[in-house]
Amino acid sequence: MAGGLLCLCLAVVAAGCSTTRNLPEDEVLYTGVKKIQVLDTDKEVLRLADDALTEAKAAVSVAPNNSLFGSASLRSPLPVGLWVYNSFAKYKKGVGRWIFRHFAADPVFLSSVNPEVRAKVATNLLHDYGFSRGAVDFDTLPAGDRKAKLSYEISLGLPYYIDTIMYRSFSPGIDSLLRKAQGESYLRQGDLFSVENVQQERKRIQTLLRNRGYYFFESSALQFEADTVHGPGRISLRIS
Protein backbone atom coordinates (compact mmCIF):
# COMPACT_ATOMS: atom_id res chain seq x y z
CA MET A 1 0.00 0.00 0.00
CA ALA A 2 2.78 2.40 0.95
CA GLY A 3 4.60 1.58 -2.27
CA GLY A 4 1.44 2.28 -4.26
CA LEU A 5 0.96 5.64 -2.61
CA LEU A 6 4.58 6.51 -3.29
CA CYS A 7 4.15 5.62 -6.95
CA LEU A 8 1.04 7.77 -7.10
CA CYS A 9 2.88 10.73 -5.62
CA LEU A 10 5.67 10.27 -8.17
CA ALA A 11 3.08 10.09 -10.94
CA VAL A 12 1.52 13.38 -9.90
CA VAL A 13 4.91 15.08 -9.85
CA ALA A 14 5.85 13.61 -13.22
CA ALA A 15 2.59 14.69 -14.75
CA GLY A 16 3.61 18.33 -14.86
CA CYS A 17 0.01 19.31 -14.11
CA SER A 18 -1.07 18.51 -17.69
CA THR A 19 -4.58 17.15 -18.22
CA THR A 20 -4.59 17.22 -22.02
CA ARG A 21 -1.07 16.36 -23.19
CA ASN A 22 -1.81 12.80 -24.30
CA LEU A 23 -5.44 13.08 -25.31
CA PRO A 24 -6.38 11.40 -28.60
CA GLU A 25 -6.18 13.61 -31.66
CA ASP A 26 -9.23 15.78 -32.39
CA GLU A 27 -10.60 15.27 -28.87
CA VAL A 28 -11.38 18.11 -26.46
CA LEU A 29 -11.53 17.64 -22.70
CA TYR A 30 -14.95 18.50 -21.26
CA THR A 31 -14.58 20.53 -18.07
CA GLY A 32 -18.21 20.92 -17.04
CA VAL A 33 -21.17 23.25 -17.35
CA LYS A 34 -20.50 26.92 -16.72
CA LYS A 35 -24.16 27.89 -16.43
CA ILE A 36 -27.71 26.87 -17.25
CA GLN A 37 -29.77 30.00 -17.76
CA VAL A 38 -33.57 30.08 -17.86
CA LEU A 39 -34.58 33.05 -19.99
CA ASP A 40 -38.21 33.27 -18.84
CA THR A 41 -39.04 35.53 -15.90
CA ASP A 42 -42.81 35.09 -15.42
CA LYS A 43 -43.22 33.63 -11.92
CA GLU A 44 -46.39 31.68 -12.73
CA VAL A 45 -44.81 30.10 -15.80
CA LEU A 46 -41.72 29.17 -13.78
CA ARG A 47 -43.92 27.62 -11.08
CA LEU A 48 -45.74 25.51 -13.66
CA ALA A 49 -42.45 24.55 -15.27
CA ASP A 50 -40.72 23.35 -12.11
CA ASP A 51 -40.79 19.65 -13.05
CA ALA A 52 -40.02 20.37 -16.70
CA LEU A 53 -36.99 22.47 -15.78
CA THR A 54 -35.73 19.82 -13.36
CA GLU A 55 -35.87 17.19 -16.11
CA ALA A 56 -34.34 19.46 -18.76
CA LYS A 57 -31.46 20.51 -16.51
CA ALA A 58 -30.77 16.89 -15.60
CA ALA A 59 -30.57 15.99 -19.30
CA VAL A 60 -27.74 18.47 -19.94
CA SER A 61 -25.88 18.13 -16.63
CA VAL A 62 -22.97 15.76 -17.21
CA ALA A 63 -20.28 15.40 -14.55
CA PRO A 64 -16.75 16.16 -15.80
CA ASN A 65 -13.56 14.56 -14.51
CA ASN A 66 -12.84 15.22 -10.82
CA SER A 67 -16.42 16.34 -10.27
CA LEU A 68 -17.43 17.10 -6.69
CA PHE A 69 -20.47 15.09 -5.54
CA GLY A 70 -21.43 14.36 -9.16
CA SER A 71 -21.88 18.04 -9.95
CA ALA A 72 -21.71 19.25 -13.55
CA SER A 73 -20.08 22.51 -12.49
CA LEU A 74 -18.10 21.92 -9.29
CA ARG A 75 -14.69 20.26 -9.68
CA SER A 76 -11.78 19.38 -7.45
CA PRO A 77 -8.70 21.55 -8.11
CA LEU A 78 -6.54 18.41 -8.12
CA PRO A 79 -7.40 16.25 -11.15
CA VAL A 80 -5.06 13.45 -10.10
CA GLY A 81 -6.68 10.84 -12.31
CA LEU A 82 -6.18 12.97 -15.41
CA TRP A 83 -2.58 13.74 -14.49
CA VAL A 84 -1.87 10.04 -14.19
CA TYR A 85 -3.71 9.32 -17.46
CA ASN A 86 -1.62 11.83 -19.40
CA SER A 87 1.67 10.72 -17.88
CA PHE A 88 1.24 6.95 -18.04
CA ALA A 89 -1.07 6.23 -20.99
CA LYS A 90 2.00 5.37 -23.07
CA TYR A 91 3.11 2.52 -20.78
CA LYS A 92 2.03 -0.96 -21.86
CA LYS A 93 3.67 -2.97 -19.09
CA GLY A 94 5.64 -2.74 -15.88
CA VAL A 95 5.21 -0.26 -13.03
CA GLY A 96 4.02 2.47 -15.39
CA ARG A 97 1.14 0.30 -16.60
CA TRP A 98 0.28 -0.69 -13.02
CA ILE A 99 0.07 2.97 -12.03
CA PHE A 100 -2.10 3.72 -15.06
CA ARG A 101 -4.51 0.86 -14.36
CA HIS A 102 -4.94 1.73 -10.69
CA PHE A 103 -4.92 5.53 -10.62
CA ALA A 104 -5.74 6.93 -14.08
CA ALA A 105 -9.17 8.34 -14.89
CA ASP A 106 -10.53 8.12 -18.43
CA PRO A 107 -11.02 11.66 -19.77
CA VAL A 108 -14.56 12.85 -20.36
CA PHE A 109 -14.50 14.17 -23.92
CA LEU A 110 -16.74 16.87 -25.33
CA SER A 111 -17.64 14.49 -28.15
CA SER A 112 -18.96 11.89 -25.70
CA VAL A 113 -21.05 14.50 -23.86
CA ASN A 114 -22.61 15.40 -27.24
CA PRO A 115 -24.25 18.70 -26.23
CA GLU A 116 -26.26 18.99 -29.45
CA VAL A 117 -28.11 15.74 -28.74
CA ARG A 118 -28.55 16.63 -25.06
CA ALA A 119 -30.07 20.00 -25.98
CA LYS A 120 -32.54 18.23 -28.27
CA VAL A 121 -33.46 15.74 -25.54
CA ALA A 122 -34.00 18.60 -23.08
CA THR A 123 -36.14 20.44 -25.66
CA ASN A 124 -38.31 17.36 -26.16
CA LEU A 125 -38.77 17.09 -22.40
CA LEU A 126 -40.09 20.66 -22.29
CA HIS A 127 -42.56 19.76 -25.03
CA ASP A 128 -43.65 16.66 -23.12
CA TYR A 129 -44.51 18.83 -20.12
CA GLY A 130 -46.69 21.17 -22.17
CA PHE A 131 -44.16 23.80 -23.19
CA SER A 132 -44.51 23.09 -26.89
CA ARG A 133 -42.58 26.18 -27.93
CA GLY A 134 -39.77 25.57 -25.46
CA ALA A 135 -36.21 25.28 -26.69
CA VAL A 136 -32.76 24.53 -25.25
CA ASP A 137 -29.63 25.93 -26.91
CA PHE A 138 -25.99 25.51 -26.02
CA ASP A 139 -22.64 27.26 -26.41
CA THR A 140 -19.17 25.73 -26.34
CA LEU A 141 -16.77 27.88 -24.32
CA PRO A 142 -12.99 27.40 -24.69
CA ALA A 143 -11.43 26.75 -21.27
CA GLY A 144 -7.75 26.44 -22.09
CA ASP A 145 -5.62 24.21 -24.28
CA ARG A 146 -7.91 21.54 -25.74
CA LYS A 147 -10.48 22.12 -23.00
CA ALA A 148 -14.05 23.40 -23.16
CA LYS A 149 -16.99 24.17 -20.93
CA LEU A 150 -20.63 24.26 -21.96
CA SER A 151 -23.39 26.72 -21.24
CA TYR A 152 -27.10 26.21 -21.90
CA GLU A 153 -30.05 28.56 -22.35
CA ILE A 154 -33.59 27.35 -21.70
CA SER A 155 -36.58 29.17 -23.14
CA LEU A 156 -39.95 27.84 -22.02
CA GLY A 157 -42.18 29.83 -24.31
CA LEU A 158 -45.94 29.88 -23.96
CA PRO A 159 -47.41 26.95 -21.99
CA TYR A 160 -50.38 25.11 -23.48
CA TYR A 161 -53.55 24.39 -21.51
CA ILE A 162 -56.35 21.96 -22.32
CA ASP A 163 -59.28 23.98 -23.63
CA THR A 164 -61.70 21.23 -24.63
CA ILE A 165 -61.80 17.42 -24.54
CA MET A 166 -63.86 15.44 -27.04
CA TYR A 167 -64.49 11.69 -27.34
CA ARG A 168 -65.04 10.52 -30.90
CA SER A 169 -65.79 7.32 -32.82
CA PHE A 170 -66.32 5.11 -29.80
CA SER A 171 -69.15 2.59 -29.62
CA PRO A 172 -72.12 3.77 -27.51
CA GLY A 173 -71.18 1.37 -24.68
CA ILE A 174 -67.57 2.53 -24.45
CA ASP A 175 -68.53 6.19 -24.90
CA SER A 176 -70.94 5.91 -21.97
CA LEU A 177 -68.28 4.32 -19.73
CA LEU A 178 -65.72 6.99 -20.59
CA ARG A 179 -68.09 9.85 -19.83
CA LYS A 180 -69.24 8.35 -16.53
CA ALA A 181 -65.63 7.96 -15.36
CA GLN A 182 -64.41 11.30 -16.71
CA GLY A 183 -63.94 12.63 -13.18
CA GLU A 184 -61.06 10.17 -12.74
CA SER A 185 -59.29 11.36 -15.88
CA TYR A 186 -55.68 12.61 -15.90
CA LEU A 187 -56.76 15.13 -18.55
CA ARG A 188 -58.96 17.97 -17.38
CA GLN A 189 -60.08 21.22 -18.96
CA GLY A 190 -57.85 24.06 -17.81
CA ASP A 191 -54.89 21.82 -16.88
CA LEU A 192 -51.45 22.21 -18.37
CA PHE A 193 -51.13 19.77 -21.28
CA SER A 194 -48.43 17.15 -20.83
CA VAL A 195 -47.47 13.97 -22.66
CA GLU A 196 -46.97 12.26 -19.30
CA ASN A 197 -50.64 12.81 -18.45
CA VAL A 198 -51.64 11.50 -21.88
CA GLN A 199 -49.73 8.28 -21.18
CA GLN A 200 -51.36 7.96 -17.77
CA GLU A 201 -54.77 8.47 -19.38
CA ARG A 202 -54.06 5.70 -21.88
CA LYS A 203 -53.38 3.28 -19.04
CA ARG A 204 -56.44 4.45 -17.08
CA ILE A 205 -58.80 3.94 -20.01
CA GLN A 206 -57.36 0.49 -20.76
CA THR A 207 -57.85 -0.57 -17.12
CA LEU A 208 -61.35 0.92 -17.01
CA LEU A 209 -62.54 -0.89 -20.12
CA ARG A 210 -60.95 -4.21 -19.24
CA ASN A 211 -62.62 -4.08 -15.81
CA ARG A 212 -65.96 -3.53 -17.57
CA GLY A 213 -65.73 -6.56 -19.82
CA TYR A 214 -63.62 -5.31 -22.74
CA TYR A 215 -60.89 -7.79 -21.83
CA PHE A 216 -58.79 -7.45 -24.97
CA PHE A 217 -58.80 -3.68 -25.25
CA GLU A 218 -55.27 -2.28 -25.81
CA SER A 219 -54.25 1.27 -24.93
CA SER A 220 -52.35 1.44 -28.22
CA ALA A 221 -55.72 1.54 -30.00
CA LEU A 222 -56.40 5.00 -28.56
CA GLN A 223 -55.65 8.08 -30.64
CA PHE A 224 -54.99 11.47 -29.02
CA GLU A 225 -55.06 14.49 -31.34
CA ALA A 226 -54.07 17.93 -30.05
CA ASP A 227 -55.29 20.93 -32.06
CA THR A 228 -53.81 24.35 -31.25
CA VAL A 229 -55.83 26.47 -33.68
CA HIS A 230 -58.35 27.66 -31.09
CA GLY A 231 -56.11 30.36 -29.66
CA PRO A 232 -52.65 30.97 -28.24
CA GLY A 233 -51.79 28.58 -25.42
CA ARG A 234 -54.99 26.53 -25.89
CA ILE A 235 -55.31 22.93 -27.00
CA SER A 236 -58.42 21.15 -28.18
CA LEU A 237 -57.92 17.47 -27.41
CA ARG A 238 -59.70 14.74 -29.36
CA ILE A 239 -59.65 11.14 -28.10
CA SER A 240 -60.75 8.39 -30.43
Side-chain angles (χ1 to χ4, degrees), residues 2-79:
L5 292 175
L6 176 60
C7 289
L8 178 58
C9 291
L10 291 174
V12 171
V13 172
C17 297
S18 172
T19 56
T20 59
R21 184 171 56 199
N22 286 320
L23 296 185
E25 288 185 19
D26 302 324
E27 291 288 6
V28 174
L29 183 67
Y30 165 73
T31 57
V33 174
K34 183 175 182 180
K35 65 177 179 178
I36 301 176
Q37 182 179 8
V38 180
L39 301 180
D40 305 81
T41 58
D42 186 284
K43 291 183 179 180
E44 178 61 16
V45 170
L46 292 174
R47 183 187 68 80
L48 292 170
D50 188 56
D51 289 341
L53 287 174
T54 297
E55 294 281 351
K57 289 177 180 179
V60 300
S61 296
V62 180
N65 288 103
N66 56 294
S67 165
L68 291 174
F69 311 111
S71 170
S73 55
L74 298 177
R75 302 176 69 212
S76 164
L78 298 174

Side-chain angles (χ1 to χ4, degrees), residues 12-165:
V12 171
V13 172
C17 297
S18 172
T19 56
T20 59
R21 184 171 56 199
N22 286 320
L23 296 185
E25 288 185 19
D26 302 324
E27 291 288 6
V28 174
L29 183 67
Y30 165 73
T31 57
V33 174
K34 183 175 182 180
K35 65 177 179 178
I36 301 176
Q37 182 179 8
V38 180
L39 301 180
D40 305 81
T41 58
D42 186 284
K43 291 183 179 180
E44 178 61 16
V45 170
L46 292 174
R47 183 187 68 80
L48 292 170
D50 188 56
D51 289 341
L53 287 174
T54 297
E55 294 281 351
K57 289 177 180 179
V60 300
S61 296
V62 180
N65 288 103
N66 56 294
S67 165
L68 291 174
F69 311 111
S71 170
S73 55
L74 298 177
R75 302 176 69 212
S76 164
L78 298 174
V80 175
L82 286 175
W83 290 340
V84 176
Y85 176 92
N86 280 276
S87 288
F88 290 88
K90 59 187 177 183
Y91 291 97
K92 303 304 179 184
K93 59 183 179 178
V95 175
R97 188 61 182 173
W98 183 89
I99 293 173
F100 181 84
R101 288 177 55 203
H102 286 81
F103 300 110
D106 291 334
V108 179
F109 299 125
L110 188 64
S111 61
S112 64
V113 174
N114 206 336
E116 183 175 1
V117 170
R118 290 186 177 277
K120 289 179 180 178
V121 170
T123 295
N124 289 335
L125 285 168
L126 295 181
H127 296 175
D128 288 349
Y129 277 90
F131 294 88
S132 302
R133 297 182 183 179
V136 179
D137 295 310
F138 74 94
D139 254 334
T140 303
L141 310 173
D145 182 37
R146 299 182 67 188
K147 301 177 187 177
K149 287 183 177 290
L150 293 170
S151 69
Y152 293 90
E153 287 187 344
I154 299 176
S155 175
L156 294 167
L158 185 70
Y160 277 83
Y161 298 87
I162 298 174
D163 185 54
T164 57
I165 301 173

